Amino acid sequence: MKPASFEYVAPATVPEALHLLADDTVDSKVLAGGQSLIPLMNLRLAAPERLIDINNLRDLAYIRDDINGLHIGAMTRHTDVLASTSVRQMTPLLHEAAGFVAHSQVRNRGTLGGTLAHADAAAEIPVALLASNAVITARSIEGERQISVEDFFQGYFSTTLRADELIVDVFLPAMPPHGGSAFNEFSRRRGDYAIGGAAVVLVFDDQGICESARVALLAAGPQPVRAPASEGLLVGHRLDGELILAAAKAAASSANPVTSIHGSAEYRRAVIEEMVARGLREATQRAGV
Ligand SMILES: Cc1cc2nc3c(=O)[nH]c(=O)nc-3n(C[C@H](O)[C@H](O)[C@H](O)COP(=O)(O)OP(=O)(O)OC[C@H]3O[C@@H](n4cnc5c(N)ncnc54)[C@H](O)[C@@H]3O)c2cc1C
């Protein structure tokens, strides 16, 4: 199918894009990589009156080291995230997650801002950002605001972003010393959306006791979610095989996956349990404890 007709504008600057977004007399959508929006428009599941193409906004495509972490611009393509040495060294979880996103054709176009705003619970990068405690900067003509990733996702393909706001930047804290992370997912074919998965970030003290744990689940409900029951079992303890299995079970019990042609909810929960267990083992090993 072809999309319904729409007006197309391609602003040259961020302020120009923000003024277009602020016009609430027209139902507008931002076009970034188009890898989610265009299929939705072709299927007539989305029919915006106006597309605001932000591909000319080159100043939103960057990866910058900060003393405490990395700033990544909203128009940074998945391919560039994957190729970045800074991402690999400072935020290895994002690097690992980006490697699971689709195929190179999609990664060459898809953007960090696009995958966040689309907010698919089965998309790897939002789950990795949730486990990483990322901070999103959204801008409108009224100014900027920082949104913790914890407060960003709001149900099925839905976020707290306002219609007049553009995601401009994402900040990811660097992995601290004695920290380790892992991203695991299971899909029938490499590059497909996963049946289930998990992103794990663990930080240990000098004695090898878990100081903080963030476990985020992929395809485990309507939105990217953390597993606080699982995290609570880990903090304050040295991780051994038995505790890891208990934490993985707790994560799976808190998951709320849907039954689909790709697998029943029960099967998906079993996959999530295994992915959390693998992630906890790998993150512990990578932390060097
Ligand atoms: C065949 C195929 C397979 C795929 N497989 C996977 C996969 O395995 N895993 C995965 O995670 N993804 C997958 N994707 C989706 C891909 O990762 C997309 O890149 C991503 O979901 C959306 O990014 P985009 O830049 O293309 O956004 P677009 O499609 O351009 O936009 C998506 C939404 O975000 C909004 N938006 C975009 N940028 C901004 C911004 N800066 N501020 C505010 N709103 C914004 C748009 O208005 C729209 O609502 C797949 C896509 C295809 C076509």
Side-chain angles (χ1 to χ4, degrees), residues 172-191:
L172 286 98
M175 182 65 69
H178 303 306
S181 66
F183 191 97
N184 282 278
E185 70 170 45
F186 175 74
S187 56
R188 308 277 299 225
R189 295 174 309 185
R190 176 95 193 178

Side-chain angles (χ1 to χ4, degrees), residues 32-36 55 74-81 101-115 125:
Q35 299 303 296
S36 297
N55 281 274
M75 280 305 289
T76 308
R77 314 275 173 187
H78 304 321
T79 299
D80 297 320
V81 166
V101 176
H103 309 283
S104 52
Q105 292 87 340
V106 172
R107 292 197 296 265
N108 286 343
R109 295 298 304 164
T111 65
L112 189 67
T115 191
I125 288 176

Side-chain angles (χ1 to χ4, degrees), residues 29-39 54 74 78 100-102 106 109-111 113-115 117-118 122-125 161 165-168 191-193:
K29 273 268 173 209
V30 167
L31 174 70
Q35 299 303 296
S36 297
L37 181 57
I38 297 298
I54 58 170
H78 304 321
F100 284 105
V101 176
V106 172
R109 295 298 304 164
T111 65
T115 191
H118 189 55
E124 289 83 1
I125 288 176
L161 201 65
E165 285 180 318
L166 190 66
I167 298 173
V168 289
D192 281 1
Y193 280 105

Side-chain angles (χ1 to χ4, degrees), residues 20-55:
L20 286 161
L21 272 177
D23 175 5
D24 62 6
T25 62
V26 189
D27 171 31
S28 300
K29 273 268 173 209
V30 167
L31 174 70
Q35 299 303 296
S36 297
L37 181 57
I38 297 298
L40 287 177
M41 289 173 64
N42 285 343
L43 292 166
R44 307 259 173 141
L45 293 170
E49 292 170 315
R50 177 157 71 190
L51 278 192
I52 304 173
D53 183 345
I54 58 170
N55 281 274

Side-chain angles (χ1 to χ4, degrees), residues 45-168:
L45 293 170
E49 292 170 315
R50 177 157 71 190
L51 278 192
I52 304 173
D53 183 345
I54 58 170
N55 281 274
N56 290 333
L57 310 184
R58 303 261 150 96
D59 47 346
L60 292 185
Y62 57 82
I63 299 174
R64 280 185 207 130
D65 295 17
D66 182 284
I67 187 154
N68 300 315
L70 276 185
H71 282 278
I72 308 184
M75 280 305 289
T76 308
R77 314 275 173 187
H78 304 321
T79 299
D80 297 320
V81 166
L82 200 51
S84 161
T85 308
S86 298
V87 171
R88 188 154 38 82
Q89 290 174 350
M90 293 175 75
T91 59
L93 182 69
L94 179 62
H95 176 262
E96 201 171 13
F100 284 105
V101 176
H103 309 283
S104 52
Q105 292 87 340
V106 172
R107 292 197 296 265
N108 286 343
R109 295 298 304 164
T111 65
L112 189 67
T115 191
L116 263 175
H118 189 55
D120 186 341
E124 289 83 1
I125 288 176
V127 169
L129 294 178
L130 186 58
S132 305
N133 203 13
V135 178
I136 297 151
T137 300
R139 199 181 294 169
S140 71
I141 55 166
E142 285 162 19
E144 265 187 11
R145 69 180 175 122
Q146 265 77 41
I147 311 167
S148 162
V149 69
E150 301 280 348
D151 303 323
F152 189 72
F153 303 111
Q154 209 183 31
Y156 194 65
F157 292 98
S158 170
T159 72
T160 53
L161 201 65
R162 295 197 315 259
D164 65 338
E165 285 180 318
L166 190 66
I167 298 173
V168 289

Side-chain angles (χ1 to χ4, degrees), residues 93 96 100 180-187 190 194 196-202 204 214-217 230 234 239-249 251-252 267 269-287:
L93 182 69
E96 201 171 13
F100 284 105
S181 66
F183 191 97
N184 282 278
E185 70 170 45
F186 175 74
S187 56
R190 176 95 193 178
V200 171
V201 178
L202 300 175
F204 297 87
R214 294 179 72 92
V215 177
L217 307 179
S230 170
L234 302 166
L239 270 57
D240 60 17
E242 204 179 320
L243 185 56
I244 284 175
L245 289 182
K249 205 172 267 305
Y267 174 58
R269 221 174 264 119
V271 168
I272 287 168
E273 183 172 337
E274 176 59 24
M275 296 303 116
V276 173
R278 283 185 200 180
L280 292 174
R281 280 185 216 111
E282 286 171 6
T284 305
Q285 193 187 19
R286 290 171 185 175

